[in-house]
């Protein structure tokens, strides 16, 4: 048996007539840019989350950049974010003119550690970007309390956490703004790049929409950029959205199955779900000190695994100029050596799951070399 890391084709096949019809409709109406398809998706995504505004854009990275520009980031302003994320979270701080300030993560959840945020707040700090990594929330009570006390804005990076909740409240509704990616492999994925930001702040939404579209059409009230969701992607996303809740439950069911299958292996640490919160398992990430050997063993069994991510952000060449040392981010540094993302996608079959579990059990049953 061969188990891919994700299987986007399986999802397409499961809803092929709907997707094909949506694409045909866009072509029929030539609704390629700024069409009703975009308006419709923005409205339904805002409604799904229970927020006032959704401003679509080209991808989740642009969404972060646009949101920070909208919040008025100025040169020299410091933005605090997590050491453990995709580089889009931090590179956009720099692009928007700010200074990246990394924070270590919590030992169990891989999300930003509020105690560390408190230690990094300076007179120049203007905002915090928590990332709901792998599909579960950061400690939002603590993050929002710190933000209120220090008069900081919060942008939630929800690129991996579509429909996840924190104490019953939808992620993306806590911060001043939240950003989403609809990259094909994300929990809600387009067939190309796509993203958006959401907010309840009408002025912010209006500014961001203008900025993303050259500062306005016909009347350029300012210089902007060109970052748009195209009609085809919007129509595909609208077609997929009604299925998202079901796909999320399927992800959670598969994660539970992994959990049962791996529970008896003391050498494997399974994902820890924050109490009273939901995890939507964009990724199912285990920890083991024998990570590299296990990855090779699974590869030999035709099971694809991924490192999300091979290093914590402060340790990439891109951030060498900050001169960080491993001791400054002990959890993120430890995690980068132990994490392994297992195959997980809604359409994953029971036999594939069982095969992955068996292969992992087989690895730990064999004597250590
Ligand atoms: C995917 C991702 C992004 C960027 O989204 P793109 O649509 O690929 O630009 C940002 N942050 C995190 C945590 C992501 O996983």
């Amino acid at each position: 048996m061969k188990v891919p890391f994700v299987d986007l084709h399986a999802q397409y096949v499961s809803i092929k007539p709907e997707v094909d019809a949506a694409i045909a409709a866009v072509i029929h109406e030539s609704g390629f840019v700024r069409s009703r398809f975009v308006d419709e998706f923005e409205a339904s995504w805002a409604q799904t989350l229970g927020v006032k505004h959704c401003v679509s854009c080209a991808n989740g990275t642009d969404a972060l950049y646009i949101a920070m520009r909208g919040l008025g980031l100025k040169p020299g302003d410091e933005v605090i974010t997590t050491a453990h994320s995709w580089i889009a979270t931090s590179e956009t701080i720099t692009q928007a003119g700010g200074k990246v300030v990394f924070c270590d993560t919590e030992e169990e959840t891989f999300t930003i550690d509020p105690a560390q945020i408190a230690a990094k707040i300076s007179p120049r700090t203007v905002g915090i970007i928590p990332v709901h990594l792998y599909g579960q929330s950061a400690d939002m009570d603590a993050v929002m309390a710190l933000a209120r006390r220090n008069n900081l804005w919060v942008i939630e990076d929800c690129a991996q956490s579509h429909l996840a909740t924190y104490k019953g409240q939808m992620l993306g509704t806590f911060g001043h703004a939240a950003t989403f990616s609809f990259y094909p492999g994300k929990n809600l994925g387009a067939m190309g790049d796509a993203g958006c930001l959401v907010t309840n702040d009408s002025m912010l939404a209006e500014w961001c929409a203008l900025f993303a579209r050259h500062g306005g059409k016909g009347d350029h009230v300012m210089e902007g950029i060109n970052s748009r969701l195209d009609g085809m992607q919007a129509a595909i996303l609208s077609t997929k959205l009604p299925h998202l809740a079901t796909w999320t439950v399927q992800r959670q069911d598969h994660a539970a199955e992994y959990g049962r299958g791996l529970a008896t292996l003391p050498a494997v640490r399974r994902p820890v779900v924050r109490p009273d919160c939901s995890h939507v398992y964009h990724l199912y990430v285990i920890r083991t000190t024998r990570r590299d050997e296990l990855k090779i063993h699974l590869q030999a069994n035709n099971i694809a695994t991924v490192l999300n991510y091979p290093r914590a952000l402060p340790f990439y060449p891109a951030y060498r100029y900050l001169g960080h040392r491993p001791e400054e981010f002990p959890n993120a540094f430890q995690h980068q050596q132990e994490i392994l993302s297992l195959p997980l996608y809604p359409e994953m079959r029971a036999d594939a799951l069982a095969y992955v579990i068996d292969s992992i059990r087989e690895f730990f049953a064999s004597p250590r070399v």
Side-chain angles (χ1 to χ4, degrees), residues 58-62 64 85-86 88-89 131 133 157 159-160 180-183 186 193-195 282 309:
N59 54 66
T61 306
D62 278 5
L64 284 159
S85 184
W86 178 238
T89 312
V131 180
L133 198 75
D157 184 340
Q160 304 187 359
F180 287 87
S181 167
F182 305 113
Y183 175 83
K186 298 290 163 77
D193 279 311
H282 171 57
Y309 300 91

Side-chain angles (χ1 to χ4, degrees), residues 98-109:
K99 185 170 178 293
V100 182
V101 177
F102 287 119
C103 230
D104 202 14
T105 48
E106 295 179 342
E107 150 67 11
E108 287 198 320
T109 65

Side-chain angles (χ1 to χ4, degrees), residues 77-283:
D77 286 349
E78 294 178 1
V79 177
I80 297 176
T81 194
T82 171
H84 190 156
S85 184
W86 178 238
I87 194 169
T89 312
S90 54
E91 69 187 349
T92 47
I93 297 172
T94 312
Q95 311 301 352
K99 185 170 178 293
V100 182
V101 177
F102 287 119
C103 230
D104 202 14
T105 48
E106 295 179 342
E107 150 67 11
E108 287 198 320
T109 65
F110 307 110
T111 60
I112 194 165
D113 181 352
Q116 296 300 316
I117 299 176
K120 301 257 167 143
I121 292 175
S122 86
R124 313 213 64 168
T125 308
V126 295
I128 309 169
I129 307 184
V131 180
H132 305 309
L133 198 75
Y134 302 156
Q136 90 162 320
S137 66
D139 181 349
M140 289 315 289
D141 281 345
V143 169
M144 295 313 296
L146 278 166
R148 272 190 299 275
R149 206 175 309 139
N150 296 280
N151 197 24
L152 310 174
W153 50 250
V154 172
I155 299 173
E156 295 173 73
D157 184 340
C158 296
Q160 304 187 359
S161 64
H162 312 70
L163 301 193
T165 56
Y166 175 88
K167 298 187 180 173
Q169 185 179 335
M170 193 73 88
L171 295 185
T173 63
F174 288 85
H176 298 75
T179 60
F180 287 87
S181 167
F182 305 113
Y183 175 83
K186 298 290 163 77
N187 287 26
L188 178 59
M191 292 182 166
D193 279 311
C196 77
L197 63 91
V198 299
T199 181
N200 285 319
D201 181 337
S202 303
M203 301 251 291
L204 179 63
E206 199 179 316
W207 192 96
C208 290
L210 270 178
F211 180 72
R213 319 200 197 304
H214 298 296
K217 200 175 174 184
D219 186 19
H220 304 295
V221 297
M222 60 187 180
E223 288 183 326
I225 61 170
N226 177 12
S227 181
R228 54 197 170 208
L229 175 66
D230 70 74
M232 203 90 85
Q233 301 310 335
I236 290 164
L237 288 168
S238 290
T239 300
K240 286 186 164 195
L241 182 50
H243 301 282
L244 182 58
T246 304
W247 290 335
T248 302
V249 171
Q250 288 170 330
R251 285 178 184 274
Q252 291 164 335
D253 287 348
H254 298 335
E257 189 61 30
Y258 269 137
R260 285 187 289 273
L262 303 176
T264 52
L265 298 175
V268 173
R269 290 180 66 178
R270 293 161 290 137
V272 176
V273 181
R274 192 184 296 288
D276 303 323
C277 299
S278 72
H279 195 319
V280 297
Y281 295 101
H282 171 57
L283 295 168

